[in-house]
Each structure stands twice: as structure tokens, then as C-alpha cells.
């Protein structure tokens, strides 16, 4: 019996893993839009050629289907007939043909890992590869060591030699509490390194260690209360997750292992995990941009690291659509209040609403109390890039401002060596400038911060800078204090803005280590 992938389980992903130029798109024929594809998948037409049957596909059989009109591709063990999708693919037919008749998982992850292919291609599912996944031999056995824990041998052993040491975990209990302890063997662990979700009896704790993910995933043997606490002992890299028992009884074991339990694998090889968050507020920021506030479930611990993004997922006309967004704070001044609550349950997003768009109008139609699925964080920004920094330059266009919010806040609050932060903010008109008054107020309050607004279509009353990103503007803006001063330049905006900006920065002799581009 074949297991059909669930429509609600999205493909993993982040375009921030793509090179700074982003992926290329090709012009689609009329009638070949995403909406047209969704209509086709709901038309009842047989898109697999198998009349509704699901089959097991051998490697030899897969290789036979390698032509445009007969193209099968394997992604994560499932085989899809993508021939009907050829003309609808934004990356073009040639891009799909690179994986024709083969396993395209690696190629898919390199180019657009964030795309929810399981939902998009569910009507193209041919079946599953005829091979069994290699599970540890004792995966379903209830081996008991360390007071009920599974043996260390179950940790994935495919890590590269230069990767971090494999974590381990243990658990102990009192009459009313169960404490799960994760030993990361790393010192740079903090609260945003661990993500915890509890649903029904399923308990899931993912710890991100450098570019790897360690997962504790069990079906608990007894019921627990909804709330729990997460503690991190940073100097020894120990994480303690304290659960409250519903009944004061002794547990003989923690529970039974679930999918990928006790695995330690590269982060890029993990799937995205989602939880439903409730919309609690929505307010206008500009004429077309709004601040959305989502509330995490009480059974979730999630803090999005500085410079990283999440994916929002909505069902639209029966298909789940996924888009990346970078969380912000509720204002430029909120995170200067001490202390920042360690278990903040709110996530804020500045989102531009495109009336002719596919995703944002649906998001804007949500009512207070409705739910949006939010993924685990992704992204390749490393907070250590800000350490010992002297000058931080931020180049943002439009909603490319959003990743800059937390970077700006963190730098001004936590980097004692910082001497100057400068933001050059590109927009079309004055009405498009997000949080203009807050930016000007921040520049007045903190003399280390400067902001310059550049408009491409200003009114005649505008006295500030005009135009688009250019070598002249950048050479005036990016002034080092000295040849040896440590600088970082962050840029984010539409793909042409980012591509042009990267080239100009290299031409101005800034090194690769001094530039970070957020691409989306």
C-alpha cells in the first residue's frame, strides 16, 4: 500500500539559500499562470496517465521517462509526472528537464526548496520509489537505556567529519514534572536555537546547531499540560525543557519514537514544520503595507533569530500556497525595552498587499481570530557577523526593509564596538516609506544612527535624494572610518535591486565577507 504524501505537509524551504541573484524566470504563455494550473488540477483530467492508480517505480522505470512529453521526476522518494506542468513552470521547461528521469531532490533544494511541491503536484503523483528507507534496526523496538531513552546508535551517522559533534538527550522526572535535557556539546546555544511543539501526545523539539538539525520527536507515554518552559545553560550548551504532568504518576518511559527521532542531519535536508498561529491584529502602516500580528500556540516555543525568515502558508482555492516573510518587531523601539520577554508569543510581519497578487489579497482578507500556518525559521544570516563591528550599512528597497529591522535593533543594543549605523532606504514616493517617523525619531535619539531616503518618483516638493541605486549614491554613502575598520553591508529588495547592488559593491572593492544580501 503506497503512502500518498499529505497535502498539509509542505516541501521544505528557503530562497535565502539561493545565490544572491535569485532564480531566473521565463515568460509564460497566456493561460499558463499559477491560477490556471490550479484550475487544471481540479478539472478531473488524468495528469499522470495512470487513471488514478499509484505504482511503485523502480530506478530502471524512472530512467525511461526522460522526455518533455513523458517526464517523471523523483523528489524525496515520490515520483511525479511533470509533463503536464512543463508550460506552467516559472523556471521554464529546460530547468525541469535537468531532472528528467532521475532523482531531482538535490536540484529542487538548490533552486526553490520553499515551493510546496506536494500540494502543487499532488494530481501528478505517479507513486513511490520501490525502495525501503534505511531505518535503524531498533527503530521500532522499545530499547530502554538512560531511564527510558533510545540508544545513542540511533543518531544519524552520515555527518561530514568536519560537522559538529552529535548531541544526545536524557530525561528525568519528579512527581509533577518531566524534564527533557538536550546536550548540544556547543557553547553558542541560546533560546532561538531550539523550537518546541506539542500537539496531542506528539512532542517535537528541534535544535539548530550551526548548519545541522537535531530532533527529539516522540509520542509521549502520558498526557501533559499545555504550557511548558525552555531553559538554556549557554556556557555548557545544555537545553532543559520542563513539562508539567497532567497526573502525578510515574512514567516508565518517555514515549515512542516518531519520524526522524534522534536524528542529526544537515539543516538543508530537513523538511519544514508548521504550526497554526492566530491573527490577533492588523493595522495600516502605509497606503499598501500592513503590520500583521500573529500569536503562537501556547504549546509552541519559537523565537526567530535575527536576519532569518519563516514561511506563511494559506489554503487558496484548495491548494496550499507558501510565501517567505521576515518577522519584525511591533515598532523600532519595542526591543530596546529591557528585558525582552524570553517566551514572546507574538510574531509581527510588515507585508505589502498587492491587489493583483495571488497570496497577499487572501492574507489581507483574513479576519481577527483566523489562522495562518507558520514554519520554522530559515536563512543564512549569522549573528556573529555583527560582533566587533564598527560600521553597519543597510541598503533597503521597499519591503526589503523588513530584514533590516531586527538587524538594526540588535546592532544598536548589543554591539559595544559599533560607531555608526547608516540606512539608505529606496522607495517610489514619500507615501511608500515604511515607519518614516520612527526612523527619523530613532536617528534623533541615537546619534550613531543615520537614515537617508531616496525616491524614484518624488513630488516637486521633495528635497531629498532622487533616483535609483547607483555607484555615485553608494560611493558617497559607504564611507569607511579607516582602511582597517570592520564593516558590514546588508542589502535587500527586489531581485534587480539586489543584483545591481551586489555588482556595484564589488566594483567599490568591498569583499564578499563584508556583504550580506537577503534574497527572496
Amino acid at each position: 500500500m503506497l503512502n500518498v504524501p499529505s497535502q498539509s505537509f509542505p516541501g521544505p524551504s528557503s530562497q535565502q539559500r539561493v545565490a544572491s541573484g535569485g532564480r531566473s524566470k521565463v515568460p509564460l504563455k497566456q493561460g499558463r499562470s499559477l491560477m490556471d494550473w490550479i484550475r487544471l488540477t481540479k478539472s478531473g483530467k488524468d495528469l499522470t496517465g495512470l487513471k488514478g492508480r499509484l505504482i511503485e517505480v523502480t530506478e530502471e522505470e524512472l530512467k525511461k521517462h526522460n522526455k518533455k512529453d513523458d517526464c517523471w521526476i523523483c523528489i524525496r522518494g515520490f515520483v511525479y509526472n511533470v509533463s503536464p506542468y512543463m508550460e506552467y513552470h516559472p523556471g521554464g521547461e529546460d530547468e525541469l528537464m535537468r531532472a528528467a528521469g532521475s532523482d531531482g531532490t538535490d536540484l529542487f533544494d538548490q533552486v526553490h526548496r520553499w515551493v510546496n511541491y506536494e500540494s502543487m503536484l499532488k494530481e501528478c503523483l505517479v507513486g513511490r520509489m520501490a525502495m525501503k528507507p534505511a531505518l535503524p534496526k531498533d527503530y521500532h523496538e522499545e530499547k530502554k537505556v538512560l531511564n527510558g531513552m533510545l540508544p545513542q546508535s540511533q543518531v544519524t551517522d552520515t555527518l561530514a567529519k568536519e560537522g559538529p559533534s552529535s548531541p544526545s538527550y536524557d530525561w528525568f522526572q519528579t512527581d509533577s514534572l518531566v524534564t527533557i535535557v538536550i546536550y548540544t556539546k556547543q557553547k553558542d546555544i541560546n533560546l532561538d536555537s531550539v523550537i518546541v511543539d506539542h500537539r496531542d501526545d506528539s512532542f517535537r523539539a528541534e535544535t539548530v546547531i550551526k548548519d545541522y538539525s537535531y530532533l527529539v520527536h516522540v509520542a509521549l507515554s502520558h498526557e501533559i499540560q499545555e504550557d511548558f518552559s525552555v531553559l538554556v545553560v549557554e556556557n555548557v550548551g545544555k537545553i532543559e525543557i520542563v513539562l508539567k504532568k497532567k497526573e502525578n504518576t510515574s512514567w516508565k518511559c518517555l514515549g515512542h519514537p516518531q519520524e526522524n527521532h534522534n536524528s542529526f542531519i544537515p539543516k538543508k535536508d530537513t523538511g519544514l514544520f508548521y504550526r497554526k498561529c492566530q491573527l490577533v491584529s492588523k493595522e495600516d502602516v502605509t497606503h499598501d503595507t500592513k503590520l500583521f500580528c500573529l500569536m503562537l500556540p501556547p504549546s509552541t516555543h519559537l523565537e526567530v533569530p535575527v536576519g532569518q525568515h519563516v514561511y506563511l502558508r494559506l489554503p487558496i482555492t484548495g491548494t496550499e500556497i507558501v510565501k517567505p516573510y521576515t518577522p519584525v518587531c511591533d515598532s523600532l523601539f519595542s526591543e530596546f525595552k529591557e528585558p525582552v520577554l524570553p517566551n514572546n508569543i507574538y510574531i509581527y510581519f510588515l507585508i505589502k498587499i498587492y491587489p493583483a497578487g495571488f497570496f497577499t489579497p487572501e492574507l489581507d482578507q483574513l479576519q481577527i481570530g483566523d489562522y495562518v500556518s507558520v514554519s520554522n525559521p530559515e536563512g543564512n544570516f549569522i549573528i556573529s557577523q555583527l560582533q566587533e563591528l564598527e560600521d553597519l550599512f543597510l541598503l533597503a528597497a521597499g519591503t526589503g526593509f523588513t530584514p533590516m529591522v531586527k538587524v538594526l535593533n540588535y546592532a544598536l543594543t548589543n554591539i559595544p564596538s559599533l560607531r555608526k549605523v547608516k540606512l539608505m532606504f529606496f522607495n517610489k514616493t514619500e507615501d511608500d516609506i515604511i515607519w518614516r517617523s520612527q526612523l527619523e525619531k530613532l536617528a534623533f535619539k541615537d546619534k550613531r544612527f543615520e537614515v537617508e531616503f531616496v525616491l524614484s518618483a518624488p513630488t516637486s516638493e521633495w528635497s531629498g535624494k532622487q533616483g535609483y541605486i547607483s555607484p555615485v549614491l553608494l560611493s558617497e554613502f559607504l564611507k569607511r572610518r579607516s582602511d582597517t575598520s570592520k564593516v558590514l553591508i546588508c542589502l535587500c529588495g527586489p531581485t534587480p535591486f539586489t543584483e545591481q547592488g551586489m555588482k556595484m559593491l564589488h566594483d567599490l572593492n568591498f569583499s564578499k565577507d563584508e556583504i550580506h544580501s537577503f534574497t527572496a
Side-chain angles (χ1 to χ4, degrees):
M1 189 76 177
L2 284 172
N3 293 321
V4 181
S6 166
Q7 181 178 348
S8 64
F9 186 79
S13 184
S14 164
Q15 277 190 316
Q16 287 200 356
R17 296 189 183 280
V18 182
S20 62
R23 66 186 177 101
S24 300
K25 291 188 177 183
V26 298
L28 297 175
K29 298 177 183 177
Q30 189 171 0
R32 294 296 184 270
S33 68
L34 175 59
M35 181 62 81
D36 293 316
W37 171 251
I38 291 174
R39 289 194 192 100
L40 178 60
T41 62
K42 298 186 179 306
S43 67
K45 186 175 180 180
D46 179 15
L47 300 183
T48 64
L50 297 175
K51 298 180 180 179
R53 292 182 299 120
L54 292 174
I55 64 174
E56 289 197 344
V57 182
T58 63
E59 190 173 344
E60 293 73 21
E61 180 65 24
L62 178 63
K63 289 178 180 177
K64 296 176 185 176
H65 302 270
N66 59 2
K67 302 177 182 64
K68 283 188 179 180
D69 60 352
D70 181 20
C71 181
W72 290 8
I73 293 176
C74 174
I75 304 177
R76 291 189 176 82
F78 290 93
V79 179
Y80 299 89
N81 179 1
V82 299
S83 302
Y85 184 60
M86 285 283 179
E87 293 186 345
Y88 297 84
H89 183 233
E93 296 178 4
D94 291 344
E95 189 72 15
L96 281 179
M97 287 303 296
R98 290 172 64 191
S102 66
D103 189 329
T105 304
D106 288 344
L107 180 62
F108 176 83
D109 285 346
Q110 290 169 19
V111 179
H112 41 18
R113 192 174 166 251
W114 63 281
V115 173
N116 187 358
Y117 67 91
E118 284 139 320
S119 179
M120 294 281 290
L121 298 176
K122 65 182 183 294
E123 299 301 329
C124 299
L125 181 65
V126 171
R128 188 171 61 183
M129 289 299 291
M131 57 182 71
K132 294 181 180 178
L135 293 174
K137 62 182 180 179
D138 57 355
Y139 186 76
H140 293 293
E141 297 175 16
E142 200 171 339
K143 301 268 180 138
K144 294 187 177 70
V145 297
L146 294 178
N147 199 17
M149 297 311 304
L150 290 165
Q152 176 67 21
S153 62
Q154 195 165 310
V155 176
T156 308
D157 59 1
T158 57
L159 294 178
K161 290 182 180 178
E162 65 271 16
S165 300
S166 298
S168 60
Y169 78 110
D170 197 356
W171 69 283
F172 57 87
Q173 60 182 311
T174 64
D175 288 343
S176 59
L177 303 174
V178 169
T179 301
I180 298 171
V181 183
I182 299 172
Y183 302 97
T184 67
K185 305 173 187 175
Q186 304 289 323
K187 290 188 177 180
D188 54 349
I189 298 297
N190 47 50
L191 281 170
D192 62 19
S193 302
V194 60
I195 305 154
V196 182
D197 289 276
H198 172 239
R199 295 180 187 169
D200 301 322
D201 66 342
S202 176
F203 174 86
R204 191 181 192 279
E206 180 181 357
T207 305
V208 178
I209 302 170
K210 295 184 169 63
D211 293 328
Y212 289 84
S213 168
Y214 177 64
L215 183 64
V216 174
H217 190 194
V218 295
L220 297 174
S221 61
H222 293 72
E223 291 185 351
I224 62 171
Q225 297 180 36
E226 200 170 50
D227 60 317
F228 55 82
S229 60
V230 181
L231 308 170
V232 173
V233 185
E234 294 186 20
N235 59 341
V236 295
K238 183 174 73 169
I239 299 168
E240 294 185 356
I241 305 166
V242 183
L243 313 177
K244 299 176 183 177
K245 296 179 179 179
K246 268 200 172 178
E247 297 181 358
N248 294 344
T249 57
S250 178
W251 294 18
K252 293 182 179 179
C253 68
L254 182 62
H256 304 287
Q258 301 296 290
E259 183 181 13
N260 296 324
H261 172 63
N262 210 17
S263 62
F264 188 45
I265 60 177
K267 185 77 166 67
K268 66 181 179 64
D269 295 335
T270 63
L272 284 180
F273 184 82
Y274 286 82
R275 73 280 303 149
K276 288 187 176 181
C277 297
Q278 191 173 35
L279 178 65
V280 295
S281 70
K282 177 173 59 171
E283 62 183 60
D284 293 337
V285 175
T286 70
H287 63 99
D288 61 3
T289 302
K290 297 187 178 182
L291 180 68
F292 290 79
C293 177
L294 301 179
M295 183 171 65
L296 290 164
S299 54
T300 290
H301 166 85
L302 169 64
E303 295 184 14
V304 181
V306 172
Q308 295 199 10
H309 62 280
V310 297
Y311 293 87
L312 303 187
R313 187 181 70 187
L314 281 176
I316 300 176
T317 64
T319 298
E320 289 179 327
I321 305 299
V322 178
K323 291 290 182 182
Y325 291 100
T326 303
V328 297
C329 36
D330 61 339
S331 83
L332 281 176
F333 300 95
S334 61
E335 294 204 356
F336 288 93
K337 300 170 186 173
E338 296 290 346
V340 177
L341 291 176
N343 294 315
N344 196 348
I345 61 172
Y346 300 108
I347 307 181
Y348 296 89
F349 299 92
L350 283 167
I351 297 176
K352 181 176 180 178
I353 308 300
Y354 295 89
F358 193 64
F359 187 84
T360 56
E362 293 289 331
L363 188 66
D364 194 32
Q365 289 298 314
L366 293 179
Q367 303 298 308
I368 303 303
D370 287 346
Y371 287 86
V372 183
S373 294
V374 177
S375 78
N376 285 2
E378 291 242 329
N380 55 12
F381 184 82
I382 303 170
I383 198 73
S384 60
Q385 294 175 108
L386 299 175
Q387 299 305 317
E388 300 179 4
L389 199 65
E390 295 174 67
D391 296 300
L392 174 61
F393 299 103
L394 308 174
L395 304 172
T399 50
F401 169 67
T402 56
M404 309 304 179
V405 173
K406 287 195 172 184
V407 171
L408 171 63
N409 266 320
Y410 182 88
L412 289 174
T413 309
N414 297 287
I415 308 301
S417 60
L418 192 69
R419 292 188 293 192
K420 182 66 71 177
V421 182
K422 295 177 70 176
L423 167 67
M424 182 170 276
F425 196 0
F426 294 82
N427 285 278
K428 189 174 181 180
T429 69
E430 286 186 78
D431 290 340
D432 295 319
I433 301 174
I434 297 170
W435 282 353
R436 178 180 180 179
S437 62
Q438 290 194 42
L439 288 166
E440 292 172 337
K441 182 180 176 183
L442 180 59
F444 179 78
K445 288 184 64 175
D446 194 324
K447 298 308 178 186
R448 295 173 299 168
F449 176 63
E450 294 178 11
V451 58
E452 291 185 20
F453 302 112
V454 183
L455 302 182
S456 61
T459 63
S460 56
E461 288 80 23
W462 175 251
S463 59
K465 286 186 167 62
Q466 301 183 29
Y468 299 89
I469 190 168
S470 69
V472 173
L473 276 178
L474 294 186
S475 60
E476 292 175 356
F477 180 72
L478 302 170
K479 298 289 188 184
R480 289 177 181 269
R481 286 183 172 268
S482 70
D483 292 339
T484 59
S485 61
K486 184 177 179 182
V487 304
L488 179 66
I489 305 166
C490 297
L491 72 161
C492 186
T495 300
F497 173 88
T498 304
E499 290 177 341
Q500 294 168 26
M502 289 289 287
K503 183 179 185 305
M504 293 172 193
L505 292 173
H506 289 307
D507 291 344
L508 290 170
N509 296 319
F510 288 98
S511 70
K512 186 182 294 186
D513 292 339
E514 293 175 326
I515 305 169
H516 182 88
S517 66
F518 296 96
T519 56

